[in-house]
Amino acid sequence: LTRGALTSALGALAALKLPLNGPASASVSTAVAREQQLPPAVLPTLVLGAGGGTGSECVNYLLARGLPCIATTRSGALDVEPNPLLTVATADVASVDSLRAAITPKLGAVIFAASASAKGGDAKAIDEKGVVDAAKLCIECGVKRYVVVSSGTVTRPDSAVYQLLNVVGKGIMEAKIKGEDEVRRLYSTEKDVGYTIVRPGGLTRDEALGVGAVELNQGDTKSGRIARADVAAICVEAIGNADAFDTTFECYWGDTAKEVESVGLSNLLGVAGLKKTEATQRQTGLERRGDTWAKLFKGLARDVPGECKG
């Protein structure tokens, strides 16, 4: 079976949206042998939190693109089909020693898709300290891109969405913004390695709508709904994109966009199927749309070192 045929087959399976199921994959030791069969430039992407909804979609998308992936969970087990591009490994993002074992110079990128909200864990340990510890190790190991899945409205403590999520998540929004700010600070003096912070709106389990349905924004003034599968695509496509280097942005489906002040009710009604709300006509001037990933990311404003992105 040639690599091209394998990639085509994986793409066909991804198009069918088959669930991740089947026996657990082999250990990290198989990655070394596999690495010798890949071009030197193709280093695996480490997905932290692969057992969660967004993390599992990141794994799906990487494999559909024919890219090598190391998927991690706290138990080191994941219900997935065996795949020559996939390794399943153990990593507890709340333990710096565990992260140190997982993040190595042999990685092309790291996606931090773990969150306390997924399992009701400790927000400070995961969404703040875990995010920061992983950033430090990525810098230390020279990992080219660090992608963090954060949250829309994270800088808007006055909004109903922030307040609800922060209460339900036991301080999760406070932890996320502190983690974000420290990541930006840590990378402010780095030149050869970078980060991308992705702030999705209300997450759904819907089918991916693709790049044409997505709107990016900066400033945390608008949000909406978006499928986890589309968020995963954004995370993976941002890895090698120069315009997404050292940036923080919000993402949501353009036709669900609302001002932060009213997005909570709009999302609830939309998810429940009770009412189709019209997208806001308000424009910030920072919206990004495109029919390709390159066009979508084009024009993103790079973060100013030391500045809180609100």
Side-chain angles (χ1 to χ4, degrees), residues 37-58:
Q37 302 169 20
L38 295 168
V42 182
L43 294 174
T45 294
L46 178 73
V47 179
L48 297 168
T54 303
S56 64
E57 291 292 355
C58 287

Side-chain angles (χ1 to χ4, degrees), residues 128-172:
E128 181 183 347
K129 187 176 183 298
V131 164
V132 172
D133 285 342
K136 291 177 179 177
L137 289 165
C138 283
I139 293 171
E140 180 183 313
C141 293
V143 176
K144 291 299 185 182
R145 189 70 62 92
Y146 178 46
V147 181
V148 178
V149 181
S150 184
S151 174
T153 75
V154 73
T155 69
R156 297 294 302 275
D158 58 323
S159 70
V161 172
Y162 178 106
Q163 293 171 15
L164 175 62
L165 293 176
N166 203 49
V167 169
V168 173
K170 299 179 180 179
I172 193 169

Side-chain angles (χ1 to χ4, degrees), residues 189-221:
T189 57
E190 300 296 326
K191 294 182 179 179
D192 297 328
V193 296
Y195 66 88
T196 303
I197 297 175
V198 181
R199 295 172 171 171
L203 294 167
T204 79
R205 289 283 191 175
D206 295 326
E207 294 289 313
L209 297 184
V211 61
V214 174
E215 180 172 286
L216 306 184
N217 204 354
Q218 294 179 290
D220 212 12
T221 58

Side-chain angles (χ1 to χ4, degrees), residues 5-297:
L6 176 61
T7 301
S8 298
L10 290 170
L13 286 174
L16 293 173
K17 296 295 177 183
L18 295 177
L20 288 171
N21 53 35
S25 172
S27 65
V28 178
S29 61
T30 61
V32 177
R34 221 174 34 246
E35 185 179 312
Q36 297 173 356
Q37 302 169 20
L38 295 168
V42 182
L43 294 174
T45 294
L46 178 73
V47 179
L48 297 168
T54 303
S56 64
E57 291 292 355
C58 287
V59 173
N60 281 337
Y61 194 83
L62 284 161
L63 297 180
R65 285 283 312 275
L67 298 171
C69 169
I70 301 175
T72 71
T73 67
R74 282 181 294 178
S75 66
L78 192 63
D79 199 22
V80 294
E81 291 286 353
N83 188 305
L85 294 172
L86 175 65
T87 296
V88 177
T90 301
D92 181 356
V93 298
S95 165
V96 67
D97 290 334
S98 182
L99 284 173
R100 184 173 287 110
I103 298 175
T104 75
K106 292 187 176 182
L107 297 174
V110 171
I111 299 175
F112 195 105
S115 179
S117 61
K119 300 293 184 181
D122 184 333
K124 186 173 182 63
I126 297 173
D127 296 86
E128 181 183 347
K129 187 176 183 298
V131 164
V132 172
D133 285 342
K136 291 177 179 177
L137 289 165
C138 283
I139 293 171
E140 180 183 313
C141 293
V143 176
K144 291 299 185 182
R145 189 70 62 92
Y146 178 46
V147 181
V148 178
V149 181
S150 184
S151 174
T153 75
V154 73
T155 69
R156 297 294 302 275
D158 58 323
S159 70
V161 172
Y162 178 106
Q163 293 171 15
L164 175 62
L165 293 176
N166 203 49
V167 169
V168 173
K170 299 179 180 179
I172 193 169
M173 298 297 271
E174 295 175 41
K176 283 183 180 295
I177 189 57
K178 288 179 180 177
E180 277 194 21
D181 286 344
E182 184 61 9
V183 167
R184 284 185 283 268
R185 189 194 69 80
L186 287 168
Y187 277 90
S188 64
T189 57
E190 300 296 326
K191 294 182 179 179
D192 297 328
V193 296
Y195 66 88
T196 303
I197 297 175
V198 181
R199 295 172 171 171
L203 294 167
T204 79
R205 289 283 191 175
D206 295 326
E207 294 289 313
L209 297 184
V211 61
V214 174
E215 180 172 286
L216 306 184
N217 204 354
Q218 294 179 290
D220 212 12
T221 58
K222 292 168 65 176
S223 192
R225 299 185 302 282
I226 188 168
R228 291 180 183 274
D230 280 319
V231 176
I234 291 167
C235 291
V236 174
E237 295 293 344
I239 288 171
N241 188 282
D243 290 304
F245 186 91
D246 283 2
T247 60
T248 300
F249 55 82
E250 296 80 55
C251 60
Y252 45 84
W253 288 328
D255 66 358
T256 70
K258 286 287 184 182
E259 290 85 357
V260 165
E261 293 78 8
S262 59
V263 73
L265 179 60
S266 173
N267 281 353
L268 286 173
L269 292 173
V271 170
L274 298 176
K275 182 180 179 181
K276 179 173 175 57
T277 57
E278 296 296 326
T280 180
Q281 297 303 304
R282 175 187 171 192
Q283 297 291 301
T284 67
L286 297 173
E287 292 86 356
R288 312 302 313 159
R289 299 292 295 266
D291 57 2
T292 67
W293 295 108
K295 291 179 182 177
L296 183 68
F297 294 129

